[in-house]
Amino acid sequence: EEMRNSKSAFKDRPKKRTALLLWNNPMLTVNFDTYTSRLVECAGGVNVFREESVYEFPVELEDMIEKEPETLFLAAKPAPFTSRHVAEFRRYRLFSKIPIHLIKGRLLARYGPTTLEALKHLRKIYESL
């Protein structure tokens, strides 16, 4: 019931352009045809790299800036991103102006029992934007 109400509340909201990084060095992201991207899009975002032909691929900082995201998700433990990385991104003009969120890596990578928890967590983030 809660998810159904939440879904209808998001129906008319514009989706937030989201860049997401699952790994650092090299920075890795994903296209639409992945669990992570679909999770983001079900929660209220749109993956800025959704149209790419490869499931998972490296990106450069310039690639992300060119896509003009409205928010950035960084996978945290067990993935490598920490608050230090957030501070590094903040040095760049675009990333100093948009919200950057550290998301538990297990929420972005494991479908199954954590999916509901992940959707709730991401929807709270999108509601706050």
Side-chain angles (χ1 to χ4, degrees):
E1 182 67 30
E2 178 183 335
M3 288 307 288
R4 189 169 29 253
N5 291 340
S6 180
K7 185 178 179 182
S8 64
F10 273 85
K11 181 176 60 167
D12 299 325
R13 291 179 68 151
K15 299 241 180 198
K16 294 291 183 181
R17 294 178 50 77
T18 305
L20 51 119
L21 293 177
L22 300 178
W23 201 255
N24 192 27
N25 209 10
M27 291 188 292
L28 293 178
T29 191
V30 292
N31 72 3
F32 176 71
D33 203 20
T34 59
Y35 169 76
T36 305
S37 182
R38 289 175 188 228
L39 186 67
V40 163
E41 297 207 7
C42 284
V46 61
N47 178 358
V48 297
F49 292 105
R50 72 188 321 277
E51 301 297 328
E52 298 296 323
S53 60
V54 181
Y55 294 128
E56 184 178 278
F57 52 96
V59 292
E60 299 292 329
L61 193 60
E62 295 80 14
D63 299 327
M64 291 193 303
I65 291 170
E66 182 180 283
K67 296 289 187 177
E68 300 178 343
E70 297 171 285
T71 189
L72 172 62
F73 288 173
L74 302 174
K77 289 184 180 179
F81 290 104
T82 65
S83 56
R84 177 178 60 86
H85 295 99
V86 172
E88 288 174 12
F89 275 104
R90 289 270 179 237
R91 295 188 334 225
Y92 298 92
R93 185 177 12 207
L94 172 70
F95 297 110
S96 70
K97 297 177 180 181
I98 67 171
I100 300 175
H101 298 275
L102 290 169
I103 311 289
K104 292 178 188 172
R106 69 178 182 80
L107 294 181
L108 295 175
R110 293 188 187 154
Y111 58 89
T114 60
T115 300
L116 188 57
E117 178 186 353
L119 280 172
K120 285 180 181 180
H121 182 71
L122 296 179
R123 283 189 175 170
K124 277 186 182 176
I125 289 172
Y126 285 119
E127 286 172 354
S128 72
L129 299 178

